[in-house]
């Protein structure tokens, strides 16, 4: 489908940005078949690069967006272009590092390549081609007092971008680890969405944006560094660079696939607990976890309870059981004593006897390892954290949710301060 393009808003070394006439507030980001290094001191045509870069960035943005990270990405439009929300860009490259290499070593003599940053190392570079993108301090950024799309970039906004950069890196690091690739470092940019005035991850994230070392081995690097390091640019060398870029654009698709599929089985003592259980199922859905509801009473039909347990143990799907039983919770402890799978008690507490009933979920005989979580949402979250250990997509949703909670608290505080001034 052909889009009606308005004026060209911007053109960089590797892409052009056009207004979309029929979609106000949106732009088309069109990639070019050009590869550059050292601030375009080295510049070459690479046939097919636009399509490779567009494929890569579209997959990366989909991964982040499905996790719950706010981005400018809307949809992939064609082989070589995607549609994004129109943003006014903050002229800073945020660099996040897990492993010390490249320019960091030059700027910090004495640090050996391979030094691991835990927590991650954050750096900022002001986008200024004439001065080779100088490194900036937070103070410089604050003192510049940028105002974009009507948003003043102050302390609150800088903190949000710092936090977001770390979360975005961690999500992509986890994803690449599933392909046995180390995400060494990466650079990203933020913009202010002109319609919502929100700070969002913008620009692109493709094979120019990061260093990727398969098996943590620098000699196997697959990113643009290979091109930067070429002694001379020959057709053979460019073929090798293109091969690497293609390898990444194929691999990046696999990052969207779940590694392991787990399931939550909620057992309730009777259907009077259904509303409580539906909350658990709904919350599981938000993490992309399949959830099954069953009715069984360990007091009145223990044989049936153990039969249901065997059914879910027997098909090889990783399972977390959640026991929902009011009054005396026999269900959770009986399950916990008879399965090696995790069991979470989530009793529906009533005001009258709740304080007494809760002990049936807390005081266990030896050898039982069930946990007790009172909130249905939190029970689902705990199950998600168990699955998140082996499923990067579930982990990413948990990580993005943490970020978004932090950001909304930060913004609520800023708003309150503005009111009370």
């Amino acid at each position: 489908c052909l889009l009606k393009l308005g004026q060209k808003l911007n053109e960089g070394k590797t892409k052009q940005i056009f207004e979309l006439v029929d979609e106000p507030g949106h732009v088309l980001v069109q990639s070019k078949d050009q590869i550059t290094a050292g601030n375009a001191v080295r510049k070459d045509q690479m046939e097919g690069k636009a399509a490779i870069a567009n494929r890569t960035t579209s997959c990366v943005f989909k991964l982040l967006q499905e996790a719950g990270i706010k981005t400018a990405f809307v949809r992939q439009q064609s082989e070589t272009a995607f549609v994004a929300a129109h943003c006014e860009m903050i002229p800073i490259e945020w660099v996040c590092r897990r492993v010390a290499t490249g320019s960091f070593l030059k700027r910090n003599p004495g640090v050996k390549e391979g030094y691991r940053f835990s927590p991650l190392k954050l750096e900022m570079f002001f986008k200024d081609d004439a001065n080779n993108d100088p490194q900036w301090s937070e103070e410089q950024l604050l003192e510049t007092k940028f105002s974009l799309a009507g948003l003043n970039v102050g302390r609150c906004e800088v903190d949000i971008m710092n936090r977001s950069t770390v979360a975005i890196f961690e999500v992509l690091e986890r994803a690449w680890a599933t392909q046995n690739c180390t995400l060494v470092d990466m650079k990203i940019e933020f913009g202010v969405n002109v319609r919502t005035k929100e700070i969002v991850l913008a620009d692109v994230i493709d094979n120019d944006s990061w260093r990727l070392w398969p098996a943590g081995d620098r000699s196997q690097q697959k990113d643009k560094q290979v091109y930067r390091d070429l002694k001379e640019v020959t057709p053979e060398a460019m073929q090798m660079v293109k091969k690497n870029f293609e390898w990444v654009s194929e691999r990046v698709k696999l990052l969207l696939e779940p590694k392991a599929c787990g399931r939550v089985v909620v057992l309730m003592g009777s259907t009077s607990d259904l509303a409580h259980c539906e909350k658990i199922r709904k919350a599981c859905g938000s993490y992309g976890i399949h959830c099954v509801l069953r009715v069984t009473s360990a007091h009145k039909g223990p044989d049936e309870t153990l039969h249901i347990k065997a059914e879910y143990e027997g098909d090889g799907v990783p399972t977390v059981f959640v026991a929902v039983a009011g009054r005396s919770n026999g269900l959770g402890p009986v399950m916990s004593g008879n399965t090696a799978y995790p069991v979470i008690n989530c009793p529906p507490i009533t005001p009258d006897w709740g304080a007494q009933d809760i002990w049936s979920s807390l005081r266990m005989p030896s050898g039982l390892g069930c946990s007790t979580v009172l909130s249905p949402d939190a029970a689902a979250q705990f199950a998600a954290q168990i699955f998140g250990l082996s499923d990067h997509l579930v982990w990413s949703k948990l990580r993005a949710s943490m970020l978004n909670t932090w950001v909304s608290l930060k913004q609520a505080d800023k708003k309150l301060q503005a009111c009370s001034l």
Side-chain angles (χ1 to χ4, degrees):
C1 97
L2 282 172
L3 293 176
K4 241 168 109 179
L5 298 185
Q7 65 183 51
K8 188 198 288 183
L9 297 172
N10 210 328
E11 177 154 10
K13 298 187 275 269
T14 59
K15 58 190 176 294
Q16 301 169 306
I17 298 178
F18 296 96
E19 223 172 21
L20 289 180
V21 177
D22 299 325
E23 295 183 49
H26 291 92
V27 295
L28 187 74
V29 181
Q30 175 69 54
S31 291
K32 301 198 271 192
D33 277 345
Q34 184 161 276
I35 184 168
T36 70
N39 233 330
V41 172
R42 170 176 282 182
K43 181 158 74 176
D44 290 282
Q45 285 300 106
M46 183 168 127
E47 198 212 332
K49 168 157 190 290
I52 294 167
N54 188 54
R55 239 189 351 254
T56 305
T57 205
S58 294
C59 276
V60 171
F61 275 121
K62 274 179 203 151
L63 177 75
L64 292 168
Q65 216 149 19
E66 280 169 22
I69 304 268
K70 292 188 170 116
T71 81
F73 181 83
V74 176
R75 65 177 187 272
Q76 187 175 341
Q77 182 60 27
S78 68
E79 271 286 279
T80 58
F82 69 90
V83 173
H86 184 195
C87 293
E88 283 194 16
M89 297 299 294
I90 296 159
I92 297 281
E93 277 187 354
W94 302 76
V95 173
C96 197
R97 302 179 182 276
R98 176 64 81 195
V99 179
T101 187
S103 73
F104 185 88
L105 303 179
K106 292 197 188 84
R107 286 179 283 114
N108 298 272
V111 180
K112 290 202 168 38
E113 178 164 77
Y115 180 97
R116 275 187 82 80
F117 300 110
S118 300
L120 291 160
K121 182 62 122 184
L122 269 185
E123 298 179 313
M124 270 177 256
F125 297 86
F126 177 54
K127 287 175 70 81
D128 175 6
D129 284 350
N131 292 303
N132 280 326
D133 298 352
Q135 187 174 6
W136 265 22
S137 64
E138 237 173 47
E139 292 72 22
Q140 283 171 293
L141 175 50
L142 290 168
E143 283 298 306
T144 308
K145 297 186 166 53
F146 284 116
S147 183
L148 298 152
L151 181 74
N152 297 326
V153 178
R155 178 83 265 168
C156 171
E157 290 67 34
V158 173
D159 288 347
I160 287 172
M161 289 185 278
N162 275 328
R163 278 276 171 154
S164 302
T165 301
V166 169
I168 289 160
F169 186 96
E170 287 177 354
V171 166
L172 294 176
E173 175 181 47
R174 280 263 169 168
W176 276 113
T178 66
Q179 302 302 311
N180 192 23
C181 274
T182 300
L183 183 60
V184 173
D185 51 39
M186 71 181 284
K187 60 173 187 202
I188 58 176
E189 292 178 36
F190 292 93
V192 180
N193 181 324
V194 295
R195 294 181 85 175
T196 65
K197 310 288 182 243
E198 257 185 328
I199 291 180
V200 293
L201 172 67
D203 193 52
V204 297
I205 299 180
D206 57 24
N207 208 30
D208 298 13
S209 310
W210 53 35
R211 284 190 177 88
L212 267 186
W213 297 354
D217 176 4
R218 182 184 159 180
S219 68
Q220 296 183 51
Q221 60 190 5
K222 295 288 183 191
D223 51 83
K224 192 170 84 169
Q225 196 57 37
V226 177
Y227 172 71
R228 293 187 194 105
D229 291 346
L230 292 177
K231 292 277 178 287
E232 58 171 324
V233 178
T234 63
E236 295 74 44
M238 286 306 290
Q239 265 319 105
M240 177 192 68
V241 171
K242 184 176 175 180
K243 246 201 171 77
N244 283 340
F245 273 65
E246 280 171 338
W247 184 91
V248 170
S249 78
E250 285 309 310
R251 275 299 159 106
V252 84
K253 289 182 200 157
L254 303 176
L255 307 184
L256 292 163
E257 292 172 11
K259 289 309 281 178
C261 245
R263 124 190 104 197
V264 169
V265 175
V266 179
L267 305 172
M268 65 191 99
S270 81
T271 47
S272 62
D273 302 325
L274 190 58
H276 189 81
C277 297
E278 282 294 0
K279 287 180 190 158
I280 299 172
R281 173 151 65 184
K282 187 179 173 200
C284 284
S286 72
Y287 299 111
I289 297 168
H290 179 53
C291 178
V292 185
L293 306 185
R294 299 292 299 261
V295 181
T296 179
S297 164
H299 286 123
K300 303 166 193 171
D303 49 342
E304 180 56 20
T305 302
L306 295 176
H307 188 83
I308 289 174
K309 173 194 76 81
E311 186 185 321
Y312 292 108
E313 284 175 329
D315 64 2
V317 178
T319 301
V320 171
F321 291 106
V322 179
V324 176
R327 299 187 188 172
S328 174
N329 173 20
L331 199 48
V334 165
M335 286 295 293
S336 186
N338 291 279
T339 182
Y341 285 157
V343 176
I344 303 167
N345 296 312
C346 185
I349 293 297
T350 55
D352 51 355
W353 283 91
Q356 285 74 22
D357 293 344
I358 191 72
W359 289 104
S360 63
S361 296
L362 297 178
R363 282 278 290 167
M364 292 295 130
S366 63
L368 268 64
C370 45
S371 62
T372 297
V373 181
L374 296 185
S375 145
D377 285 349
Q381 185 181 349
F382 185 39
Q385 286 166 336
I386 294 170
F387 292 129
L389 291 169
S390 55
D391 185 333
H392 69 286
L393 296 181
V394 173
W395 187 90
S396 302
K397 288 188 167 79
L398 290 160
R399 183 65 186 86
S401 165
M402 251 166 68
L403 170 71
N404 292 335
T405 302
W406 188 91
V407 169
S408 50
L409 284 168
K410 191 89 185 155
Q411 286 169 334
D413 181 49
K414 182 189 169 186
K415 211 167 159 181
L416 190 62
Q417 284 175 7
C419 291
S420 46
L421 280 177

